[in-house]
Amino acid sequence: MIYWSMQTIEAWEEAQARGYLEGDHERAMFPDSYLWMIQQMQKRLPNFRGEYPIWLWPKKPDMRSTGHFEGGTKCVRLTMDLDKKDVLISDFDRWHIVLNNGFCSDNEKEDDDFDNGKLNITLKESWERIFEFDRYIDTEWVGNGEWLQGTTGRIYLDKVIKVEHFVARKSKVY
């Protein structure tokens, strides 16, 4: 299956030197959340060996948009052919609930019930909902799940089928 990953030119050059791409704990913006994701990958991906995650997109990211990197950063968009069983797909919007250490509720009432101690689910158990795409959710409360992301472990360079270089755009200030 085809996936894309956005990487800095430095990360790509390191991958070329060692023969594979791998996440780096020193570059992790949210170390605790990344460790939780690693635990989920260990639980859900049969071939995962515990590396720091590489973030993927199952839908081709637009290099003209801002927000992927700080403006002026030299980057690459990698197109890769990976086995589906080696990629953990999650809801991008709901992942931000994990990053913010929030309760991953399906609707406003459930959120209130959690805050008032009326639910038999822990905060971390609720986070696993980012992997559940058949749940009924109030899309006005939590979004529509349109943006999916993926994580995987080490990617050998023979899985990379295209490399596109670009410089990240600077955000416009209004």
Side-chain angles (χ1 to χ4, degrees):
M1 189 156 178
I2 301 299
Y3 299 95
W4 291 268
S5 184
M6 309 283 273
Q7 299 291 327
T8 63
I9 194 68
E10 294 84 9
W12 176 236
E13 289 171 351
E14 287 174 25
Q16 290 178 296
R18 67 179 172 236
Y20 57 86
L21 182 65
E22 192 171 280
D24 182 349
H25 72 279
E26 291 180 16
R27 293 183 179 153
M29 294 173 59
F30 307 95
D32 292 339
S33 299
Y34 281 34
L35 288 175
W36 178 83
M37 183 61 84
I38 290 168
Q39 291 169 351
Q40 296 303 309
M41 293 166 71
Q42 287 171 326
K43 192 161 102 174
R44 299 166 188 268
L45 300 178
N47 299 321
F48 181 65
R49 295 184 309 258
E51 307 93 347
Y52 255 72
I54 299 167
W55 298 90
L56 306 170
W57 298 99
K59 186 170 145 183
K60 188 176 184 177
D62 186 348
M63 295 187 304
R64 295 168 298 182
S65 65
T66 59
H68 293 288
F69 297 98
E70 187 175 322
T73 303
K74 293 181 180 178
C75 310
V76 292
R77 177 175 64 190
L78 305 174
T79 305
M80 298 168 283
D81 190 3
L82 303 175
D83 194 318
K84 201 173 167 178
K85 73 179 181 344
D86 294 328
V87 177
L88 181 58
I89 299 295
S90 60
D91 182 306
F92 176 73
D93 290 325
R94 296 187 88 175
W95 164 243
H96 289 82
I97 296 169
V98 176
L99 293 178
N100 290 301
N101 202 36
F103 180 73
C104 193
S105 62
D106 292 337
N107 54 59
E108 188 172 6
K109 180 185 181 322
E110 186 184 46
D111 196 61
D112 290 340
D113 287 348
F114 179 78
D115 289 343
N116 293 316
K118 296 179 181 177
L119 296 180
N120 291 326
I121 181 174
T122 67
L123 182 74
K124 287 191 175 183
E125 286 171 340
S126 80
W127 294 351
E128 295 194 29
R129 294 174 172 183
I130 72 171
F131 309 112
E132 299 172 6
F133 303 106
D134 57 354
R135 297 181 66 81
Y136 172 77
I137 57 173
D138 179 350
T139 56
E140 290 185 23
W141 176 250
V142 297
N144 62 8
E146 177 183 354
W147 283 99
L148 300 178
Q149 64 183 3
T151 52
T152 193
R154 182 176 293 176
I155 300 173
Y156 288 95
L157 298 186
D158 65 341
K159 299 293 184 182
V160 177
I161 55 178
K162 188 174 186 181
V163 179
E164 299 168 89
H165 292 259
F166 68 101
V167 176
R169 288 186 172 191
K170 296 185 181 192
S171 298
K172 293 181 182 179
V173 179
Y174 294 96

